[in-house]
């Protein structure tokens, strides 16, 4: 066991084997229980009600090592071998037999026979593999069949439980365990021996490896993917990887490439759907150019103008998001152009059509683009660098996409119109017409074919094939004449549905909680590597994220002077030069601070404070000197102010640091999570001093506790330490408390608060934008209600899926907020435009809104939905969650906007200027229009 709570001490070897020179003797040896970057770490998780120290569970765990994982084909190339030995082989052993793989101690030819250089693979060290062999038994099955072994196991377990119970109360408790079942914080779960718990729920073993970076990682990744080393035990499940998660990192890298290919496929789908919508290769390419140019333009905005050099991986996801938003803008421009074309005289040129629709299209898209970009920009309030940079980057891309849509795409649309109209007039197709107007070319081809079949003369020059067409597009007629009457007939029930959805969604959204795991999860919950990572961090007594420990630190200022928009920009250390613990008052205060804090704040007296140990060490050393009478460094440096040998604190100020250094070199205590010896330095006068000091205290909360519990504990410790520092002597007043758990807590709360602030800001900006576009307070209130409904329903849906507001979910909500506002604003703007006409009724205005904007909205939603479906097949969790949020947002946004919001406007929308903001301050007359629809 270790003298202090530190990772390196906890992970040191418990046993040390000695290599034999004779193979027959060597067969009885086992490896040490140790963690190494080369060794494979295998974790066993007990199923419900199972004790991993029971005979049957021990037998299965032992067989898992020897009959499954160590027997994997090719393992002999990567196992660490015992030292070379000479023949004979032990009785019953054969060359190349798993698990031992006896053979030449060579990576190139592991099973070749060589009597002068012979070795076996080292045995895995775990409780299951070590206990039976150390007791002289030869088979894992002996756990099940040998009563003597079972009795020995029961006795050893009882000693282990007693040891764990004693350690939980006092870290310096001296155990008397069976050497065959030693106490190890790395192999015992957090609750074992605590509060009467005597079942072992988690344990681990180490498999000695070599050649990790020469194929070893790939080998174990292949074993993991093949399932050949999976466990079918009724007592436990297993998870394994290297301590540094090498296998998981390699799997993640490969899956990221695969999933990025899926995201690229989704973008291709968007472009295909854009071609299907427009029938034009030119306009599709124009949309591609529009989207591609937005990326470097936004990069220029964040880099050159904002001075941000950090480029998070999230920004690449922005390409997918802007592809959906860019397609939406293209659809609005294209559909409004086609509607205007239908209302113009046959053969009208592009200038005539543009005069009818261009500025209206620009205005409508400006409103939504400003709102969407503002939604992204509002997330920049979050202090988490990747999210802040992503928010600024996405907001910039949305604005640049709008600029390129109303310039590049609009110019291409006008140029194409003038080319296509010639074919409309002549009724003839060409290669160019098929490229620019595929669907129109099909229509002309059919018209010519039907005319030929009827024996009619060919179309004369100057005729227009569709001169008798309706002034409304097909989409307008379907939505206005087929869909709207149904919506209008049941408008009041639909309003009730809207209110019900909002109420249910709000209740569900309020259940969104913060996560209990600090890791940004990249692989699914079911993945073995995800489980391994969680177990390693959280379930063992040595885990960094099990019990929360608080550090009280002096000597270093609590500052962050790095670039907060760049995680790679680290803060520089600023030392507190006022630190001085040499005075008698300071020494006594520090000793009292440790004991008082241990009694008043530390959970179960958990403490790592070298000051109290230093005080005890002085007494021991003084007694030894008194007995021996020898003159040593202690008698030279550890003196009281009166010049006598110090038996306890305080000691003479001039002797303090030299005496403390003797203590540091003679023991293995830690100071601020580093060896105590590392804190010393020589000042300019050559005097040894201590630069930084720190003590650790255990708290009563775990990393996995709800954030509210962490916040309560943090506030209690902050209040306590602040009060203590106020009464500290000079030289110790600048101490403060810190914990890695508080960093995690602050990140989560910043994510949570940032999401709420961003949502509120977005709603406020949407309100202003809607009011400007509609100039109507009532429509503005209805729009905010509809947008809020979309947000809460999506959040409620993800809560029902078991999501919490972690890092990845926070990013998804950033995107959700940006995607939820466009459709509602489009419909509201169209309704307000119609309602401003003299004599317009609710029915007419609502019909106009769904007829003119319904198809662009549904087209954009459908395109985004289909593209997002590709991401549901991704492996990386972020891609699947992003896909789920996008799918939900597309479905809910389109349904709420085109059905429920239209129903609300048809039932209670303002007419005759009611709620018109512009008429509150003037007697502006309503506009006159010959027709709304």
């Amino acid at each position: 066991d270790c003298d202090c709570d530190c990772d390196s001490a906890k992970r040191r070897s418990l046993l040390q084997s000695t290599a034999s020179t004779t193979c027959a003797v060597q067969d009885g040896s086992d490896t040490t229980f140790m963690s190494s970057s080369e060794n494979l770490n295998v974790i066993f998780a007990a199923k419900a009600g199972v004790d991993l120290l029971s005979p049957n569970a021990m037998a299965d765990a032992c067989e898992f090592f020897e009959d499954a994982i160590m027997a994997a084909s090719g393992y002999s190339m990567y196992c660490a071998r015992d030292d070379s030995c000479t023949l004979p082989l032990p009785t019953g052993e054969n060359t190349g037999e798993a698990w031992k793989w006896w053979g030449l101690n060579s990576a190139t030819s592991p099973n070749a026979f060589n009597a002068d250089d012979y070795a076996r693979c080292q045995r895995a060290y775990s409780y299951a593999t070590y206990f039976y062999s150390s007791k002289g038994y030869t088979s894992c099955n002996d756990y099940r069949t040998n009563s003597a072994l079972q009795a020995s196991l029961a006795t050893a377990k009882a000693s282990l439980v007693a040891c764990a119970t004693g350690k939980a109360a006092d870290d310096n408790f001296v155990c008397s365990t069976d050497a065959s079942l030693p106490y190890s914080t790395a192999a015992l779960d957090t609750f074992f021996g605590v509060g009467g718990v005597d079942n072992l729920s988690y344990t681990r073993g180490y498999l000695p490896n070599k050649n990790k970076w020469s194929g070893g990682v790939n080998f174990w990744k292949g074993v993991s993917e093949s399932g050949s080393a999976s466990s079918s035990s009724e007592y436990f499940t297993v998870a394994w990887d290297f301590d540094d998660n090498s296998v998981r990192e390699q799997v993640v890298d490969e899956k990221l490439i695969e999933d990025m290919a899926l995201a690229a496929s989704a973008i291709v789908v968007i472009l295909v759907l854009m071609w299907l919508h427009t029938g034009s290769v030119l306009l599709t390419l124009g949309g591609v150019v529009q989207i591609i140019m937005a990326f470097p333009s936004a990069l220029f905005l964040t880099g050159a103008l904002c001075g941000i050099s950090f480029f998070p991986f999230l920004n690449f996801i922005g390409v997918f998001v802007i592809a959906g938003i860019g397609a939406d803008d293209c659809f609005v421009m294209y559909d409004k152009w086609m509607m205007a074309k239908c209302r113009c005289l046959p053969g009208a040129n592009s200038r005539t059509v543009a005069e009818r629709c261009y500025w209206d299209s620009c205005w409508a898209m400006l409103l939504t683009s400003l709102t969407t970009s503002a939604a992204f920009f509002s997330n920049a309030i979050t202090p988490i660098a990747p999210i802040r940079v992503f928010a600024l980057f996405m907001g910039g891309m949305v604005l640049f996409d709008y600029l390129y849509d109303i310039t590049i795409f609009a110019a291409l649309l006008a140029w194409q119109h003038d080319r296509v109209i010639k074919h409309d007039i002549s009724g003839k197709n060409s290669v160019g017409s098929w490229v620019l107007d595929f669907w129109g070319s099909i229509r002309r081809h059919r018209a010519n074919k039907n005319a030929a079949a009827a024996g009619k003369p060919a179309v004369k020059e100057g005729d227009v094939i569709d001169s008798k067409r309706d002034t409304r597009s097909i989409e307008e007629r379907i939505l206005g004449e087929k869909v709207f009457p149904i919506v209008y007939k049941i408008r009041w029930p639909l309003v009730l549905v809207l209110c019900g959805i909002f109420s249910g969604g709000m209740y569900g959204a309020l259940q969104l909680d913060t996560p209990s795991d600090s890791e940004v999860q990249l692989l699914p919950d079911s993945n073995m590597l995800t489980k391994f990572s969680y177990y390693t961090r959280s379930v063992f007594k040595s885990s960094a994220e099990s019990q929360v420990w608080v550090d009280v630190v002096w000597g270093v200022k609590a500052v962050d002077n790095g670039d907060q928009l760049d995680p790679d920009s680290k803060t520089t250390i600023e030392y507190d030069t006022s630190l001085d613990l040499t005075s008698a008052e300071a020494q006594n205060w520090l000793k009292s601070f440790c004991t008082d804090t241990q009694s008043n704040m530390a959970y179960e007296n958990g403490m790592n404070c070298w000051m109290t140990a230093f005080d005890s060490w002085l007494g021991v050393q003084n007694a030894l000197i008194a007995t021996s009478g020898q003159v040593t460094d202690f008698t030279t440096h550890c003196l009281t102010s009166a010049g006598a040998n110090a038996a306890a604190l305080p000691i003479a100020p001039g002797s303090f640091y030299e005496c403390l250094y003797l203590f540091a070199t003679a023991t293995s205590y830690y100071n601020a999570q580093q060896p105590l010896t590392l804190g010393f330095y020589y000042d300019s006068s050559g005097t040894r001093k201590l630069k930084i000091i720190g003590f650790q205290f255990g708290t009563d909360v775990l990393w996995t506790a709800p954030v509210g519990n962490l916040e309560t504990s943090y506030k209690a410790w902050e209040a306590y330490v602040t009060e203590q520092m106020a009464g500290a002597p000079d030289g110790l007043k600048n101490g403060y408390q810190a914990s890695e758990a508080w960093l995690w807590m602050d990140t989560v709360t910043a994510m949570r608060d940032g999401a709420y602030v961003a949502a509120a800001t977005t709603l406020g900006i949407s309100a202003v934008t809607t009011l400007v576009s509609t100039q109507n307070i009532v429509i503005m209130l209805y729009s905010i209600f509809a947008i809020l409904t979309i947000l809460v329903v999506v959040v409620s849906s993800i809560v029902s899926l078991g999501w919490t507001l972690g890092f990845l979910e926070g990013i998804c909500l950033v995107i959700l907020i940006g995607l939820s506002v466009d459709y509602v604003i489009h419909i509201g703007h169209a309704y307000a435009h119609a309602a401003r006409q003299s004599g317009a009724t609710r029915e007419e205005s609502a019909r106009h809104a769904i007829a003119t904007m319904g198809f662009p909205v549904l087209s954009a939603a459908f395109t985004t939905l289909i593209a997002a479906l590709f991401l549901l097949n991704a492996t990386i969790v972020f891609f699947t969650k992003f896909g789920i949020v996008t799918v939900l947002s597309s479905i809910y946004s389109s349904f709420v906007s085109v059905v429920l919001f239209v129903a609300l406007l048809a039932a209670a929308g303002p007419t005759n200027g009611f709620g018109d903001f512009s008429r509150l301050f003037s007697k502006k007359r309503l506009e006159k229009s010959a027709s709304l629809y």
Side-chain angles (χ1 to χ4, degrees):
D1 193 30
C2 55
D3 295 323
C4 59
D5 193 344
C6 54
D7 286 344
S8 61
K10 289 177 176 176
R11 294 182 177 183
R12 69 186 184 180
S13 301
L14 296 177
L15 300 170
Q16 181 65 45
S17 63
T18 302
S20 300
T21 56
T22 303
C23 297
V25 178
Q26 185 192 45
D27 182 54
S29 68
D30 290 280
T31 61
T32 59
F33 195 168
M34 59 185 173
S35 171
S36 166
S37 61
E38 288 282 334
N39 292 345
L40 196 71
N41 188 334
V42 181
I43 296 176
F44 299 86
K47 294 183 179 179
V50 172
D51 178 13
L52 293 177
L53 291 178
S54 65
N56 287 331
M58 291 280 277
D60 276 15
C62 177
E63 289 170 350
F64 172 75
F65 275 117
E66 297 185 0
D67 298 339
I69 198 165
M70 295 180 72
S73 177
Y75 171 64
S76 58
M77 293 288 293
Y78 303 103
C79 71
R81 294 180 174 274
D82 283 324
D83 291 339
S84 300
C85 62
T86 58
L87 292 176
L89 281 175
T91 303
E93 300 295 337
N94 297 301
T95 303
E97 180 182 5
W99 57 269
K100 299 168 186 175
W101 298 105
W102 283 96
L104 179 66
N105 189 15
S106 166
T108 57
S109 181
N111 296 322
F113 182 83
N114 187 323
D116 295 324
D117 190 13
Y118 212 59
R120 67 162 195 178
C121 292
Q122 293 179 357
R123 184 193 300 271
Y125 188 88
S126 68
Y127 286 142
T129 55
Y130 183 73
F131 187 80
Y132 87 92
S133 61
S134 66
K135 295 297 184 182
Y137 296 91
T138 58
S139 170
C140 297
N141 194 51
D142 287 334
Y143 283 116
R144 301 187 185 96
T145 60
N146 192 297
S147 59
L149 179 60
Q150 293 171 0
S152 296
L153 178 61
T155 302
K157 177 192 170 182
S159 298
L160 187 61
V161 171
C163 176
T165 303
K167 288 286 187 181
D170 182 3
D171 193 55
N172 295 316
F173 179 82
V174 178
C175 296
S176 58
T177 59
D178 187 325
S180 300
L181 200 69
Y183 176 87
S184 171
T185 57
L188 298 173
D189 66 74
T190 302
F191 298 105
F192 181 76
V194 178
V197 176
D198 59 3
N199 277 1
L200 185 62
S201 298
Y202 297 92
T203 189
R204 58 151 50 99
Y206 292 108
L207 193 62
N209 274 250
K210 66 178 181 179
N211 302 325
K212 173 183 175 182
W213 299 115
S214 300
V217 173
N218 281 327
F219 169 73
W220 287 113
K221 184 177 74 69
V223 172
S224 171
E225 293 172 347
S226 69
S228 60
S230 61
S231 171
S232 58
S233 173
E234 61 181 295
Y235 303 106
F236 53 76
T237 59
V238 294
W240 44 270
D241 194 353
F242 291 97
D243 278 349
D244 58 0
N245 298 310
S246 304
V247 175
R248 185 189 63 168
E249 290 181 3
Q250 184 136 334
V251 170
V252 167
D253 289 343
E254 293 178 3
K255 295 303 179 183
L256 272 175
I257 296 174
E258 294 176 9
D259 290 352
M260 284 300 291
L262 275 178
S265 300
I267 295 175
V268 172
V269 170
I270 291 176
L271 299 180
V272 170
L273 293 174
M274 188 181 297
W275 177 83
L276 291 174
H277 187 90
T278 63
S280 170
V281 174
L282 177 66
L283 296 183
T284 301
L285 292 177
V288 172
V289 172
Q290 168 186 322
I291 293 168
I292 291 176
M293 289 184 62
F295 191 91
S297 299
L299 190 60
F300 172 79
L301 173 69
T302 57
L305 299 184
C306 299
I308 300 174
S309 59
F310 175 56
F311 189 83
F313 175 79
L314 286 174
N315 286 3
F316 288 109
I317 304 300
V319 177
F320 178 89
V321 178
I322 202 62
I325 294 175
D328 179 18
D329 289 344
C330 290
F331 290 156
V332 171
M333 177 67 76
Y334 177 81
D335 289 337
K336 280 187 172 291
W337 184 280
M338 298 307 294
M339 292 175 189
K341 178 181 177 181
C342 289
R343 287 170 170 78
C344 291
L345 294 174
N349 61 24
S350 59
R351 184 182 184 88
T352 302
V353 177
E355 288 174 349
R356 273 183 168 268
C357 69
Y358 179 74
W359 292 113
D360 183 55
S361 299
C362 291
W363 177 243
M365 288 187 294
L366 175 64
L367 298 172
T368 56
S369 296
L370 287 177
T371 308
T372 303
S373 61
F376 283 114
F377 284 141
S378 65
N379 283 277
I381 193 174
T382 302
I384 301 171
I387 293 182
R388 178 177 287 182
V389 175
F390 175 69
L392 295 173
F393 187 78
M394 276 305 309
M397 276 215 294
V398 170
L399 292 180
F400 283 114
D401 177 79
Y402 166 74
L403 292 176
Y404 297 142
D405 187 71
I406 65 174
T407 52
I408 297 175
F409 188 81
L412 293 175
L413 185 57
W415 183 86
Q416 174 178 291
H417 174 90
D418 288 336
R419 301 302 176 277
V420 170
I421 202 67
K422 296 178 181 179
H423 296 283
D424 284 342
I425 294 173
S426 66
K428 297 178 181 179
N429 286 327
S430 66
V431 174
S433 72
W434 286 99
V435 172
L436 298 177
D437 185 23
F438 182 79
W439 306 118
S441 297
I442 290 179
R443 186 175 63 251
R444 286 186 290 272
H445 175 75
R446 288 176 177 173
N448 286 328
K449 185 176 180 181
N450 292 337
K456 296 180 179 180
V459 177
K460 297 179 180 179
E461 186 71 23
D463 287 348
V464 179
I465 292 178
D466 56 352
S467 60
K468 296 182 180 180
R469 66 190 174 193
D470 197 313
T471 57
R472 293 161 295 174
S473 66
I474 296 175
E475 295 84 5
E476 285 183 278
R477 293 199 300 271
I478 292 174
L479 291 171
E481 297 173 6
K482 304 297 183 182
V483 176
F484 178 74
I486 299 174
V487 173
Y488 185 77
K489 186 175 182 179
I490 58 173
R491 60 191 182 281
W492 285 111
L494 289 176
V495 171
L496 294 177
V497 170
L498 176 62
C499 295
I501 290 177
F502 170 77
S503 300
M506 180 61 76
Y507 174 79
L510 292 176
Q511 310 307 310
L512 182 63
D513 201 358
T514 50
S516 58
D517 187 1
S518 66
E519 184 170 76
V520 178
Q521 182 180 332
L522 295 177
L523 296 173
D525 289 334
S526 59
N527 190 282
M528 180 196 72
L529 299 169
T530 298
K531 295 178 181 178
F532 174 87
S533 179
Y534 173 74
Y535 295 156
T536 301
R537 296 190 322 276
S538 304
V539 303
F540 293 102
K541 293 183 184 298
S542 63
S543 295
E545 297 183 8
S546 52
Q547 183 183 10
V548 173
W549 284 75
V550 168
D551 293 284
V552 181
V553 181
W554 292 264
V556 178
K557 296 180 180 179
V559 296
D560 182 5
N561 51 27
D563 183 358
Q564 297 190 1
L565 289 178
D566 185 0
D568 294 328
S569 175
K570 307 300 182 183
T571 186
T572 57
I573 297 178
E574 294 186 11
Y575 291 103
D576 177 13
T577 56
S578 68
L579 175 66
D580 183 9
L581 50 157
T582 60
S583 68
E585 182 185 11
Q587 295 175 48
N588 287 328
W589 186 90
L590 279 175
K591 184 171 69 172
S592 298
F593 175 81
C594 286
T595 55
D596 292 346
T597 305
Q598 182 183 31
S599 301
N600 299 327
M601 295 294 292
Y603 178 66
E604 295 187 344
N605 296 320
M607 177 183 72
N608 291 315
C609 180
W610 52 260
M611 197 68 178
T612 56
F614 180 38
D615 185 59
S616 300
W617 179 82
L618 289 173
V620 172
Q621 296 302 311
N622 185 70
L624 292 175
I625 295 298
T627 301
S628 65
Q630 294 180 348
V631 177
T632 64
D633 288 340
F634 180 85
T635 60
T636 304
H637 298 298
C638 299
L639 305 173
T640 66
S641 297
N645 292 334
L649 294 174
I651 59 179
S655 301
F656 181 80
Y657 285 128
E658 289 296 338
C659 184
L660 181 61
Y661 185 74
L662 288 178
F663 165 75
T665 56
T667 61
S668 57
Y669 281 93
Y670 271 51
N671 172 44
Q673 300 188 35
Q674 294 294 328
L676 181 56
T677 53
L678 295 182
F680 290 92
Y681 74 104
Y682 288 101
D683 64 12
S684 57
S685 64
T687 303
R688 194 194 305 273
K689 290 185 177 181
L690 194 61
K691 185 174 297 185
I692 178 174
I693 65 173
F695 308 136
Q696 274 193 321
F697 302 93
T699 71
D700 59 351
V701 294
L702 302 177
W703 277 74
T704 54
V707 171
N709 293 7
L710 290 173
E711 288 180 306
T712 300
S713 182
Y714 164 77
K715 291 176 181 178
W717 276 94
E718 185 69 11
Y720 173 81
V721 173
T722 300
E723 181 182 2
Q724 293 294 311
M725 293 306 116
D730 292 340
L732 293 174
K733 289 184 176 294
N734 296 331
Y736 56 90
Q737 63 96 14
S739 172
E740 291 185 18
W742 305 155
L743 299 178
W744 156 241
M745 174 197 71
D746 185 62
T747 300
V748 172
T749 53
M751 184 77 71
R752 176 195 64 196
D753 297 343
Y756 292 151
V757 171
T761 303
T762 300
L763 290 174
I765 294 172
S766 299
V768 173
T769 304
T770 306
L771 186 60
V772 171
S773 66
T774 64
Q775 300 179 25
N776 192 286
I777 297 176
V778 176
I779 297 178
M780 181 265 291
L781 294 175
Y782 287 172
S783 299
I784 297 304
F785 179 65
I787 293 171
L788 186 57
T789 298
I790 296 169
L791 288 175
V792 298
V793 170
V794 174
V795 173
S796 179
S797 297
I798 64 176
V799 169
S800 68
L801 295 175
W803 293 18
T804 54
L805 185 54
F807 182 75
L808 298 182
E809 294 81 6
I811 296 168
C812 291
L813 290 182
V814 171
I815 298 171
L816 167 64
I817 294 170
L819 295 178
S820 298
V821 298
D822 284 10
Y823 304 157
V824 171
I825 292 178
H826 279 314
I827 297 294
H829 173 71
Y831 179 91
H833 176 75
R836 203 171 289 121
Q837 310 302 317
S838 178
T841 64
R842 291 190 182 98
E843 181 179 2
E844 292 174 326
S845 301
R847 186 193 299 271
H848 172 81
I850 194 174
T852 57
M853 290 308 303
F855 187 67
V857 164
L858 292 175
S859 297
F862 179 75
T863 301
T864 306
L865 171 65
I866 296 300
L869 290 177
F870 277 74
L871 298 181
L872 300 185
N873 294 319
T875 301
I876 300 300
V877 171
F878 173 73
F879 286 105
T880 55
K881 289 192 172 184
F882 174 56
I884 289 171
V885 167
T886 305
V887 167
L888 293 175
S889 175
S890 300
I891 294 173
Y892 293 145
S893 296
S894 56
F895 178 70
V896 170
S897 302
V898 177
V899 179
L900 300 182
F901 186 48
V902 169
L904 177 61
L905 293 172
T911 57
N912 297 320
F914 180 77
D916 195 329
F917 185 80
S918 63
R919 299 183 72 230
L920 294 178
F921 305 100
S922 65
K923 296 182 180 180
K924 181 180 177 180
R925 294 183 178 181
L926 297 175
E927 300 174 7
K928 294 183 179 181
S929 177
S931 174
L932 287 175
Y933 173 72

